[in-house]
Each structure stands twice: as C-alpha cells, then as structure tokens.
C-alpha cells in the first residue's frame, strides 16, 4: 500500500521511519565531520589561533611539493603491502594446515585466535620490548646463539624500524586472515580436490589449479579488505616508534595526527586526511565491486 488507509502507515513510510535514525547517526558521526574536514583543508586553520582564512588550494600545493609527504606515501605503501602480503600468505598456509581436520586442529585454531583479541596498544608494547636494543629478548637470543656480539637498536634504525612494525602487525593479523581464509577453503568442493588427485595432481598443483580458483572471489575480498585496514592502521606504528626514526615509520595516519596535534596545523592535517580518504575510497570501490561480483 502506498497511501495511508484507516490511519495506518504504508510500507514505504514505515521503511522511511526505520531508516531515519540510522541516517541521522550517519550524518552526525561520519558525514558532517568528513565534510567539515574537507572544507577545513581549504583554510589555514590552526589550533593556536582562533581566526582563519580561506587559502583555496594552497595547502594541497604545499603538501604535494613537500618531499616529506612523498616519503610518507612511500612508507605507507611499503607498510600496507608488507603488513598485508606477509600475514596473508602465512594465514593461507596455516588455514590449509588446519583445514586438514587432524586431531588437535580445533585447539590450534583457538590458540591462534588469541593474539587477535589482544588490544593493539598491548601488542605494540610487547613487540617494543622484544625489539628493544638494550634489554630486548631478540638481541639476547641472538647473542646467546653467537650471532651478535652487541645488541642492535632495531626500532632505532631507519633500515629496520619499519620491518619491525610489519612483523608485529603480521603477528597481530595472521589469525584474522586464517579465520576468513579457512572459511573460504571449506567452501571448495571436496569432489573436485579428489578428482584432481585421481588425475595425478600433487598437493601444490591441486592448491593452485583447483582450491585457489574455487575460492578466488573470497580470497580477493579478504586481501583488499586487509589493504584497507592497514591503510587506516595507526596504533602499532605509533606505539612502537611514533613515526620515527627520521620518519621511517610515518604513515598517512601518523602524518595526520602529528600535523594536527603536534604542529597544530589543522588545515594541512585536513588536506593530508582528504588525500588519504580519496585513496581509501579507491580501495573501497574495488572492494565493493568484488563483493557485488561475488553476490551476483
């Protein structure tokens, strides 16, 4: 019914009333702050001075000409790729192992999921202690094995700091990839796997020719979702290195934070944030396209 009869609302009107609270929350929490940040990127607003003026595209020109911003983009790309590919591959391997259904596999699956529920800040402190140059457990183990004579400041060197953060992120996210990839593996037809073995295919050939194509859409969705998550990630790089040393671990998320709350330059921070949002939107569009293809 499209009209009100006997004082009752139509289905369309009921639907609108049900949607309105969600739309109001979305507008207040997400849409308004985003629009405000985009508008702020065209101003010289600062947290030090109350007054500000419109500067058009001046902030964008400064950001794109800033050599530090290029380094930040490079660091972000390296972090996102490393922190996605490494746990993805390891998570796929572990999911394949657990998918065999041997005795104790359920227990191992539960144990694997434990570090996924640990807060990111706690994980950051844990791995900061492991990589500490003076009393870190990694240096102590390497010295005990005779590999090192003196400790290495892993988080204090520009050539190792980002790798340390990627390793910590891998440890944190491996269970997440394992859980979802295991679900994808269990959706593959066992008859096809058995047929491949009958035809003489070994385990590696069966995985790449039967299993992986059978879960292609799921595997791609999980990978793209991992890229999006790492592109937004903040707590581990900040907890472990605070963007240093020499900006070696400064990603876009850290750049926005330090520009806004350490340099007090809200206009520039909003500019970097807007560029960051555009990049995220591109990955989100890919994710939605893949998701629509899977549900089609």
């Amino acid at each position: 019914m499209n009209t009100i009869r006997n004082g009752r609302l139509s289905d369309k009107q009921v639907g609108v009333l049900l949607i309105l609270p969600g739309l109001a929350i979305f507008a207040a929490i997400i849409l308004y702050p985003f629009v405000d940040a985009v508008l702020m990127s065209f101003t010289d607003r600062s947290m030090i001075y109350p007054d500000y003026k419109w500067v058009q595209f001046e902030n964008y020109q400064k950001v794109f000409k800033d050599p530090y911003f290029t380094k930040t983009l490079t660091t972000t790309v390296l972090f996102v790729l490393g922190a996605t590919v490494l746990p993805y591959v390891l998570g796929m391997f572990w999911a394949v192992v657990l998918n065999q259904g041997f005795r104790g596999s359920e227990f191992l699956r539960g144990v694997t999921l434990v570090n996924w529920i640990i807060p990111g800040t706690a994980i950051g402190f844990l791995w900061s202690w492991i990589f500490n140059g003076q009393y870190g457990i990694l240096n102590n183990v390497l010295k005990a094995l005779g590999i090192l004579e003196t400790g290495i400041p892993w988080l204090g060197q520009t050539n190792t700091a980002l790798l340390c953060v990627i390793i910590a992120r891998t440890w944190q996210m491996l269970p997440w990839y394992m859980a979802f990839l295991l679900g994808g593996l269990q959706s593959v037809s066992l008859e096809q796997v058995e047929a491949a073995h009958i035809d003489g295919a070994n385990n590696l050939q069966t995985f790449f020719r039967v299993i992986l194509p059978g879960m292609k859409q799921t595997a791609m969705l999980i990978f793209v979702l991992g890229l999006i998550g790492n592109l937004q990630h903040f707590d581990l790089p900040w907890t472990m290195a605070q963007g240093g040393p020499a900006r070696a671990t400064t990603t876009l998320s850290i750049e926005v934070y330090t520009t806004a709350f350490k340099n007090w330059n809200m206009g520039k921070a909003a500019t970097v944030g807007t560029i960051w949002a555009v990049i995220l939107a591109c990955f989100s569009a890919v994710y939605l396209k893949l998701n629509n293809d899977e549900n089609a």
Side-chain angles (χ1 to χ4, degrees), residues 88 92 180-181 183-189 192 206-225 286-287 289-291 293-295:
Y88 184 89
M92 176 70 81
F180 285 99
L181 290 172
L185 284 171
Q186 293 176 345
S187 67
V188 178
S189 172
Q192 293 181 350
T206 301
F207 176 77
F208 283 104
R209 295 180 182 179
V210 179
I211 297 176
L212 200 56
M215 56 177 294
K216 178 181 177 181
Q217 287 296 118
T218 301
M220 292 179 65
L221 279 172
I222 295 169
F223 186 79
V224 174
L225 201 59
V286 173
Y287 172 78
K289 176 67 167 58
L290 291 172
N291 193 38
D293 290 343
E294 184 179 29
N295 295 328

Side-chain angles (χ1 to χ4, degrees), residues 109-151:
R109 186 186 308 179
V111 171
T112 303
L113 290 172
V114 169
N115 58 322
W116 183 25
I117 63 177
I118 300 175
T121 304
I123 293 175
F125 286 129
L126 170 66
W127 283 92
S128 296
W129 169 67
I130 293 174
F131 289 120
N132 188 277
Q134 297 179 344
Y135 51 82
I137 187 173
L138 178 60
N139 280 334
N140 289 334
V141 170
L142 293 177
K143 285 189 287 187
L145 294 174
I147 299 175
L148 292 180
E149 294 183 359
T150 58

Side-chain angles (χ1 to χ4, degrees), residues 12-211:
K12 183 178 180 180
Q13 291 169 328
V14 171
V16 172
L17 289 176
L18 291 174
I19 291 173
L20 281 177
L23 288 177
I25 294 173
F26 170 79
I29 298 178
I30 298 177
L31 183 60
Y32 171 74
F34 175 73
V35 173
D36 184 59
V38 173
L39 294 176
M40 192 187 303
S41 69
F42 297 101
T43 70
D44 62 350
R45 186 177 296 182
S46 171
M47 293 187 70
I48 301 176
Y49 307 105
D51 298 326
Y52 64 91
K53 65 179 183 293
W54 293 91
V55 293
Q56 306 302 327
F57 291 94
E58 184 177 326
N59 286 331
Y60 289 90
Q61 293 174 354
K62 290 180 179 179
V63 166
F64 284 116
K65 290 180 180 179
D66 187 356
Y68 288 123
F69 182 70
T70 303
K71 178 176 175 57
T72 299
L73 283 178
T74 303
T75 302
T76 302
V77 170
L78 292 175
F79 172 75
V80 170
L81 288 178
T84 303
V85 174
L86 187 57
Y88 184 89
V89 172
L90 294 176
M92 176 70 81
F93 173 78
W94 192 229
V96 171
V97 172
L98 295 179
N99 194 46
Q100 305 305 310
F102 55 87
R103 180 180 297 179
S105 61
E106 295 292 334
F107 172 76
L108 289 175
R109 186 186 308 179
V111 171
T112 303
L113 290 172
V114 169
N115 58 322
W116 183 25
I117 63 177
I118 300 175
T121 304
I123 293 175
F125 286 129
L126 170 66
W127 283 92
S128 296
W129 169 67
I130 293 174
F131 289 120
N132 188 277
Q134 297 179 344
Y135 51 82
I137 187 173
L138 178 60
N139 280 334
N140 289 334
V141 170
L142 293 177
K143 285 189 287 187
L145 294 174
I147 299 175
L148 292 180
E149 294 183 359
T150 58
I152 296 176
W154 300 100
L155 290 170
Q157 298 181 152
T158 56
N159 58 337
T160 57
L162 184 60
L163 178 61
C164 293
V165 176
I166 290 174
I167 291 173
R169 180 64 170 168
T170 298
W171 187 83
Q172 180 187 32
M173 291 305 296
L174 188 149
W176 185 86
Y177 289 103
M178 180 276 295
F180 285 99
L181 290 172
L182 183 59
L185 284 171
Q186 293 176 345
S187 67
V188 178
S189 172
L190 292 177
E191 287 78 9
Q192 293 181 350
V193 175
E194 293 173 356
H197 285 308
I198 293 173
D199 290 338
N202 57 35
N203 290 334
L204 196 61
Q205 292 172 330
T206 301
F207 176 77
F208 283 104
R209 295 180 182 179
V210 179
I211 297 176

